[in-house]
PDB file of all heavy atoms in Angstrom:
ATOM      1  N   ARG A  17      71.691 229.170  28.078  1.00 96.00           N
ATOM      2  CA  ARG A  17      72.054 227.853  27.556  1.00 96.00           C
ATOM      3  C   ARG A  17      70.908 226.861  27.694  1.00 96.00           C
ATOM      4  O   ARG A  17      70.735 225.980  26.864  1.00 96.00           O
ATOM      5  CB  ARG A  17      73.306 227.324  28.255  1.00 96.00           C
ATOM      6  CG  ARG A  17      74.579 227.977  27.729  1.00 96.00           C
ATOM      7  CD  ARG A  17      75.813 227.272  28.240  1.00 96.00           C
ATOM      8  NE  ARG A  17      75.999 227.417  29.687  1.00 96.00           N
ATOM      9  CZ  ARG A  17      76.578 228.475  30.264  1.00 96.00           C
ATOM     10  NH1 ARG A  17      77.020 229.478  29.519  1.00 96.00           N
ATOM     11  NH2 ARG A  17      76.725 228.539  31.576  1.00 96.00           N
ATOM     12  N   SER A  21      63.341 227.973  24.191  1.00 92.00           N
ATOM     13  CA  SER A  21      62.863 228.806  23.091  1.00 92.00           C
ATOM     14  C   SER A  21      63.876 229.880  22.724  1.00 92.00           C
ATOM     15  O   SER A  21      63.634 230.705  21.848  1.00 92.00           O
ATOM     16  CB  SER A  21      61.516 229.439  23.437  1.00 92.00           C
ATOM     17  OG  SER A  21      61.656 230.263  24.565  1.00 92.00           O
ATOM     18  N   GLY A  22      65.020 229.863  23.399  1.00 92.00           N
ATOM     19  CA  GLY A  22      66.087 230.809  23.065  1.00 92.00           C
ATOM     20  C   GLY A  22      65.666 232.249  23.249  1.00 92.00           C
ATOM     21  O   GLY A  22      65.997 233.112  22.444  1.00 92.00           O
ATOM     22  N   CYS A  83      48.029 209.321  22.435  1.00 97.00           N
ATOM     23  CA  CYS A  83      47.573 210.359  21.505  1.00 97.00           C
ATOM     24  C   CYS A  83      48.703 211.266  21.023  1.00 97.00           C
ATOM     25  O   CYS A  83      48.480 212.112  20.157  1.00 97.00           O
ATOM     26  CB  CYS A  83      46.488 211.209  22.144  1.00 97.00           C
ATOM     27  SG  CYS A  83      47.114 212.310  23.420  1.00 97.00           S
ATOM     28  N   HIS A 106      49.743 199.627  20.149  1.00 96.00           N
ATOM     29  CA  HIS A 106      49.921 201.082  20.196  1.00 96.00           C
ATOM     30  C   HIS A 106      51.271 201.434  20.825  1.00 96.00           C
ATOM     31  O   HIS A 106      51.755 200.720  21.691  1.00 96.00           O
ATOM     32  CB  HIS A 106      48.787 201.732  20.979  1.00 96.00           C
ATOM     33  CG  HIS A 106      47.437 201.463  20.385  1.00 96.00           C
ATOM     34  ND1 HIS A 106      46.847 202.287  19.456  1.00 96.00           N
ATOM     35  CD2 HIS A 106      46.585 200.426  20.562  1.00 96.00           C
ATOM     36  CE1 HIS A 106      45.682 201.777  19.097  1.00 96.00           C
ATOM     37  NE2 HIS A 106      45.490 200.645  19.746  1.00 96.00           N
ATOM     38  N   LYS A 125      50.715 218.927  31.983  1.00 96.00           N
ATOM     39  CA  LYS A 125      49.644 219.936  31.907  1.00 96.00           C
ATOM     40  C   LYS A 125      48.760 219.710  30.689  1.00 96.00           C
ATOM     41  O   LYS A 125      47.555 219.943  30.738  1.00 96.00           O
ATOM     42  CB  LYS A 125      50.259 221.339  31.826  1.00 96.00           C
ATOM     43  CG  LYS A 125      50.690 221.867  33.173  1.00 96.00           C
ATOM     44  CD  LYS A 125      51.341 223.229  33.036  1.00 96.00           C
ATOM     45  CE  LYS A 125      52.212 223.493  34.254  1.00 96.00           C
ATOM     46  NZ  LYS A 125      53.363 224.337  33.966  1.00 96.00           N
ATOM     47  N   PRO A 128      45.304 215.207  28.318  1.00 97.00           N
ATOM     48  CA  PRO A 128      43.875 215.365  28.609  1.00 97.00           C
ATOM     49  C   PRO A 128      43.341 214.345  29.619  1.00 97.00           C
ATOM     50  O   PRO A 128      42.298 214.563  30.199  1.00 97.00           O
ATOM     51  CB  PRO A 128      43.199 215.138  27.244  1.00 97.00           C
ATOM     52  CG  PRO A 128      44.281 215.183  26.237  1.00 97.00           C
ATOM     53  CD  PRO A 128      45.535 214.788  26.928  1.00 97.00           C
TER      54      PRO A 128
ATOM     55  N   HIS B 128      62.317 232.371  16.062  1.00 91.00           N
ATOM     56  CA  HIS B 128      63.173 233.526  15.770  1.00 91.00           C
ATOM     57  C   HIS B 128      63.301 233.801  14.282  1.00 91.00           C
ATOM     58  O   HIS B 128      63.322 234.934  13.862  1.00 91.00           O
ATOM     59  CB  HIS B 128      64.583 233.281  16.320  1.00 91.00           C
ATOM     60  CG  HIS B 128      64.594 232.883  17.743  1.00 91.00           C
ATOM     61  ND1 HIS B 128      64.703 233.798  18.759  1.00 91.00           N
ATOM     62  CD2 HIS B 128      64.462 231.685  18.332  1.00 91.00           C
ATOM     63  CE1 HIS B 128      64.655 233.172  19.913  1.00 91.00           C
ATOM     64  NE2 HIS B 128      64.513 231.882  19.681  1.00 91.00           N
ATOM     65  N   LYS B 219      39.502 219.421  28.964  1.00 97.00           N
ATOM     66  CA  LYS B 219      39.962 218.103  29.407  1.00 97.00           C
ATOM     67  C   LYS B 219      38.782 217.248  29.884  1.00 97.00           C
ATOM     68  O   LYS B 219      38.720 216.054  29.618  1.00 97.00           O
ATOM     69  CB  LYS B 219      40.960 218.259  30.561  1.00 97.00           C
ATOM     70  CG  LYS B 219      42.358 218.609  30.113  1.00 97.00           C
ATOM     71  CD  LYS B 219      43.302 218.493  31.293  1.00 97.00           C
ATOM     72  CE  LYS B 219      44.695 218.973  30.921  1.00 97.00           C
ATOM     73  NZ  LYS B 219      45.643 218.829  32.018  1.00 97.00           N
ATOM     74  N   GLN B 223      37.780 213.674  28.293  1.00 97.00           N
ATOM     75  CA  GLN B 223      37.700 212.398  29.022  1.00 97.00           C
ATOM     76  C   GLN B 223      36.393 211.665  28.729  1.00 97.00           C
ATOM     77  O   GLN B 223      36.366 210.440  28.624  1.00 97.00           O
ATOM     78  CB  GLN B 223      37.887 212.639  30.517  1.00 97.00           C
ATOM     79  CG  GLN B 223      39.351 212.974  30.821  1.00 97.00           C
ATOM     80  CD  GLN B 223      39.613 213.426  32.237  1.00 97.00           C
ATOM     81  OE1 GLN B 223      38.759 213.292  33.100  1.00 97.00           O
ATOM     82  NE2 GLN B 223      40.796 213.980  32.470  1.00 97.00           N
ATOM     83  N   HIS B 318      49.187 206.971  15.421  1.00 97.00           N
ATOM     84  CA  HIS B 318      48.218 207.962  15.901  1.00 97.00           C
ATOM     85  C   HIS B 318      48.600 209.319  15.351  1.00 97.00           C
ATOM     86  O   HIS B 318      49.757 209.722  15.445  1.00 97.00           O
ATOM     87  CB  HIS B 318      48.263 208.060  17.426  1.00 97.00           C
ATOM     88  CG  HIS B 318      47.727 206.872  18.154  1.00 97.00           C
ATOM     89  ND1 HIS B 318      46.589 206.919  18.910  1.00 97.00           N
ATOM     90  CD2 HIS B 318      48.171 205.600  18.248  1.00 97.00           C
ATOM     91  CE1 HIS B 318      46.356 205.727  19.459  1.00 97.00           C
ATOM     92  NE2 HIS B 318      47.314 204.907  19.062  1.00 97.00           N
ATOM     93  N   SER B 321      46.918 214.116  18.918  1.00 97.00           N
ATOM     94  CA  SER B 321      45.740 214.182  19.802  1.00 97.00           C
ATOM     95  C   SER B 321      44.670 213.147  19.462  1.00 97.00           C
ATOM     96  O   SER B 321      43.510 213.331  19.794  1.00 97.00           O
ATOM     97  CB  SER B 321      45.143 215.593  19.858  1.00 97.00           C
ATOM     98  OG  SER B 321      44.335 215.863  18.740  1.00 97.00           O
ATOM     99  N   HIS B 670      69.954 225.674  22.218  1.00 35.00           N
ATOM    100  CA  HIS B 670      70.444 224.727  23.217  1.00 35.00           C
ATOM    101  C   HIS B 670      69.286 223.949  23.805  1.00 35.00           C
ATOM    102  O   HIS B 670      68.163 224.403  23.808  1.00 35.00           O
ATOM    103  CB  HIS B 670      71.130 225.476  24.354  1.00 35.00           C
ATOM    104  CG  HIS B 670      72.144 226.454  23.890  1.00 35.00           C
ATOM    105  ND1 HIS B 670      73.409 226.094  23.598  1.00 35.00           N
ATOM    106  CD2 HIS B 670      72.047 227.782  23.629  1.00 35.00           C
ATOM    107  CE1 HIS B 670      74.076 227.179  23.204  1.00 35.00           C
ATOM    108  NE2 HIS B 670      73.260 228.215  23.201  1.00 35.00           N
TER     109      HIS B 670
END
Side-chain angles (χ1 to χ4, degrees):
Chain A
R17 283 190 293 277
S21 61
C83 72
H106 300 269
K125 280 178 201 150
Chain B
H128 308 268
K219 280 190 186 182
Q223 287 172 12
H318 290 247
S321 80
H670 309 276

